[in-house]
PDB file of all heavy atoms in Angstrom:
ATOM      1  N   LEU A 213      16.595   8.288  41.782  1.00  0.00           N
ATOM      2  CA  LEU A 213      16.541   8.618  40.357  1.00  0.00           C
ATOM      3  C   LEU A 213      16.061  10.056  40.145  1.00  0.00           C
ATOM      4  O   LEU A 213      16.362  10.673  39.119  1.00  0.00           O
ATOM      5  CB  LEU A 213      15.610   7.636  39.624  1.00  0.00           C
ATOM      6  CG  LEU A 213      15.689   7.620  38.087  1.00  0.00           C
ATOM      7  CD1 LEU A 213      17.083   7.249  37.620  1.00  0.00           C
ATOM      8  CD2 LEU A 213      14.663   6.652  37.514  1.00  0.00           C
ATOM      9  N   VAL A 214      15.352  10.600  41.128  1.00  0.00           N
ATOM     10  CA  VAL A 214      14.846  11.979  41.056  1.00  0.00           C
ATOM     11  C   VAL A 214      15.993  12.969  40.880  1.00  0.00           C
ATOM     12  O   VAL A 214      15.854  13.993  40.201  1.00  0.00           O
ATOM     13  CB  VAL A 214      14.035  12.318  42.338  1.00  0.00           C
ATOM     14  CG1 VAL A 214      13.579  13.770  42.336  1.00  0.00           C
ATOM     15  CG2 VAL A 214      12.833  11.384  42.442  1.00  0.00           C
ATOM     16  N   ASP A 215      17.164  12.656  41.471  1.00  0.00           N
ATOM     17  CA  ASP A 215      18.326  13.558  41.375  1.00  0.00           C
ATOM     18  C   ASP A 215      18.751  13.797  39.929  1.00  0.00           C
ATOM     19  O   ASP A 215      19.338  14.828  39.608  1.00  0.00           O
ATOM     20  CB  ASP A 215      19.534  12.965  42.129  1.00  0.00           C
ATOM     21  CG  ASP A 215      19.359  13.050  43.642  1.00  0.00           C
ATOM     22  OD1 ASP A 215      18.335  13.624  44.074  1.00  0.00           O
ATOM     23  OD2 ASP A 215      20.223  12.554  44.370  1.00  0.00           O
ATOM     24  N   LYS A 216      18.456  12.826  39.065  1.00  0.00           N
ATOM     25  CA  LYS A 216      18.952  12.907  37.680  1.00  0.00           C
ATOM     26  C   LYS A 216      17.978  13.601  36.744  1.00  0.00           C
ATOM     27  O   LYS A 216      18.247  13.725  35.553  1.00  0.00           O
ATOM     28  CB  LYS A 216      19.269  11.505  37.154  1.00  0.00           C
ATOM     29  CG  LYS A 216      20.316  10.795  38.010  1.00  0.00           C
ATOM     30  CD  LYS A 216      21.077   9.764  37.243  1.00  0.00           C
ATOM     31  CE  LYS A 216      22.246   9.255  38.075  1.00  0.00           C
ATOM     32  NZ  LYS A 216      23.166   8.433  37.309  1.00  0.00           N
ATOM     33  N   LEU A 217      16.841  14.046  37.280  1.00  0.00           N
ATOM     34  CA  LEU A 217      15.864  14.745  36.454  1.00  0.00           C
ATOM     35  C   LEU A 217      16.403  16.093  36.013  1.00  0.00           C
ATOM     36  O   LEU A 217      16.928  16.857  36.823  1.00  0.00           O
ATOM     37  CB  LEU A 217      14.560  14.963  37.226  1.00  0.00           C
ATOM     38  CG  LEU A 217      13.596  13.781  37.319  1.00  0.00           C
ATOM     39  CD1 LEU A 217      12.495  14.097  38.313  1.00  0.00           C
ATOM     40  CD2 LEU A 217      12.999  13.453  35.949  1.00  0.00           C
ATOM     41  N   SER A 218      16.271  16.376  34.728  1.00  0.00           N
ATOM     42  CA  SER A 218      16.588  17.721  34.240  1.00  0.00           C
ATOM     43  C   SER A 218      15.445  18.625  34.667  1.00  0.00           C
ATOM     44  O   SER A 218      14.281  18.279  34.517  1.00  0.00           O
ATOM     45  CB  SER A 218      16.697  17.693  32.714  1.00  0.00           C
ATOM     46  OG  SER A 218      16.767  18.993  32.215  1.00  0.00           O
ATOM     47  N   ARG A 219      15.821  19.789  35.220  1.00  0.00           N
ATOM     48  CA  ARG A 219      14.756  20.663  35.722  1.00  0.00           C
ATOM     49  C   ARG A 219      15.038  22.122  35.368  1.00  0.00           C
ATOM     50  O   ARG A 219      16.176  22.580  35.446  1.00  0.00           O
ATOM     51  CB  ARG A 219      14.580  20.483  37.229  1.00  0.00           C
ATOM     52  CG  ARG A 219      15.828  20.731  38.038  1.00  0.00           C
ATOM     53  CD  ARG A 219      15.617  20.415  39.503  1.00  0.00           C
ATOM     54  NE  ARG A 219      15.956  19.027  39.799  1.00  0.00           N
ATOM     55  CZ  ARG A 219      15.145  18.193  40.413  1.00  0.00           C
ATOM     56  NH1 ARG A 219      13.953  18.579  40.793  1.00  0.00           N
ATOM     57  NH2 ARG A 219      15.513  16.955  40.660  1.00  0.00           N
ATOM     58  N   ASN A 220      13.979  22.803  34.983  1.00  0.00           N
ATOM     59  CA  ASN A 220      14.101  24.230  34.699  1.00  0.00           C
ATOM     60  C   ASN A 220      13.907  25.063  35.955  1.00  0.00           C
ATOM     61  O   ASN A 220      14.433  26.164  36.074  1.00  0.00           O
ATOM     62  CB  ASN A 220      13.071  24.658  33.650  1.00  0.00           C
ATOM     63  CG  ASN A 220      13.374  24.043  32.297  1.00  0.00           C
ATOM     64  OD1 ASN A 220      14.530  23.742  32.012  1.00  0.00           O
ATOM     65  ND2 ASN A 220      12.359  23.849  31.479  1.00  0.00           N
ATOM     66  N   THR A 221      13.143  24.545  36.884  1.00  0.00           N
ATOM     67  CA  THR A 221      12.942  25.247  38.162  1.00  0.00           C
ATOM     68  C   THR A 221      13.006  24.230  39.279  1.00  0.00           C
ATOM     69  O   THR A 221      12.839  23.025  39.056  1.00  0.00           O
ATOM     70  CB  THR A 221      11.562  25.936  38.211  1.00  0.00           C
ATOM     71  OG1 THR A 221      10.550  24.950  37.985  1.00  0.00           O
ATOM     72  CG2 THR A 221      11.457  27.029  37.162  1.00  0.00           C
ATOM     73  N   PHE A 222      13.258  24.710  40.494  1.00  0.00           N
ATOM     74  CA  PHE A 222      13.260  23.842  41.663  1.00  0.00           C
ATOM     75  C   PHE A 222      11.916  23.943  42.372  1.00  0.00           C
ATOM     76  O   PHE A 222      11.231  24.968  42.309  1.00  0.00           O
ATOM     77  CB  PHE A 222      14.385  24.238  42.630  1.00  0.00           C
ATOM     78  CG  PHE A 222      15.751  23.956  42.097  1.00  0.00           C
ATOM     79  CD1 PHE A 222      16.686  24.971  41.953  1.00  0.00           C
ATOM     80  CD2 PHE A 222      16.113  22.685  41.700  1.00  0.00           C
ATOM     81  CE1 PHE A 222      17.947  24.715  41.455  1.00  0.00           C
ATOM     82  CE2 PHE A 222      17.366  22.408  41.196  1.00  0.00           C
ATOM     83  CZ  PHE A 222      18.287  23.429  41.070  1.00  0.00           C
ATOM     84  N   GLU A 223      11.554  22.877  43.076  1.00  0.00           N
ATOM     85  CA  GLU A 223      10.284  22.861  43.803  1.00  0.00           C
ATOM     86  C   GLU A 223      10.287  23.933  44.891  1.00  0.00           C
ATOM     87  O   GLU A 223      11.311  24.191  45.533  1.00  0.00           O
ATOM     88  CB  GLU A 223      10.076  21.482  44.440  1.00  0.00           C
ATOM     89  CG  GLU A 223       9.733  20.419  43.420  1.00  0.00           C
ATOM     90  CD  GLU A 223       9.489  19.069  44.074  1.00  0.00           C
ATOM     91  OE1 GLU A 223       9.541  19.006  45.311  1.00  0.00           O
ATOM     92  OE2 GLU A 223       9.251  18.103  43.347  1.00  0.00           O
ATOM     93  N   ASN A 224       9.110  24.540  45.095  1.00  0.00           N
ATOM     94  CA  ASN A 224       8.901  25.538  46.156  1.00  0.00           C
ATOM     95  C   ASN A 224       9.882  26.715  46.038  1.00  0.00           C
ATOM     96  O   ASN A 224      10.232  27.349  47.030  1.00  0.00           O
ATOM     97  CB  ASN A 224       9.052  24.904  47.552  1.00  0.00           C
ATOM     98  CG  ASN A 224       8.184  23.672  47.707  1.00  0.00           C
ATOM     99  OD1 ASN A 224       7.040  23.668  47.256  1.00  0.00           O
ATOM    100  ND2 ASN A 224       8.725  22.638  48.335  1.00  0.00           N
ATOM    101  N   GLU A 225      10.330  26.984  44.827  1.00  0.00           N
ATOM    102  CA  GLU A 225      11.308  28.063  44.654  1.00  0.00           C
ATOM    103  C   GLU A 225      10.600  29.412  44.632  1.00  0.00           C
ATOM    104  O   GLU A 225       9.588  29.586  43.959  1.00  0.00           O
ATOM    105  CB  GLU A 225      12.067  27.856  43.340  1.00  0.00           C
ATOM    106  CG  GLU A 225      13.147  28.884  43.130  1.00  0.00           C
ATOM    107  CD  GLU A 225      13.961  28.579  41.885  1.00  0.00           C
ATOM    108  OE1 GLU A 225      13.372  28.215  40.865  1.00  0.00           O
ATOM    109  OE2 GLU A 225      15.186  28.688  41.961  1.00  0.00           O
ATOM    110  N   LYS A 226      11.158  30.360  45.390  1.00  0.00           N
ATOM    111  CA  LYS A 226      10.609  31.709  45.370  1.00  0.00           C
ATOM    112  C   LYS A 226      11.041  32.399  44.089  1.00  0.00           C
ATOM    113  O   LYS A 226      12.178  32.258  43.666  1.00  0.00           O
ATOM    114  CB  LYS A 226      11.128  32.512  46.569  1.00  0.00           C
ATOM    115  CG  LYS A 226      10.688  31.964  47.918  1.00  0.00           C
ATOM    116  CD  LYS A 226      11.348  32.760  49.031  1.00  0.00           C
ATOM    117  CE  LYS A 226      11.047  32.138  50.381  1.00  0.00           C
ATOM    118  NZ  LYS A 226      11.795  32.791  51.466  1.00  0.00           N
TER     119      LYS A 226
END
Side-chain angles (χ1 to χ4, degrees):
L213 194 60
V214 176
D215 287 357
K216 301 206 171 190
L217 280 170
S218 170
R219 57 185 91 233
N220 292 333
T221 57
F222 291 122
E223 287 182 3
N224 308 319
E225 183 175 42
K226 296 175 186 173

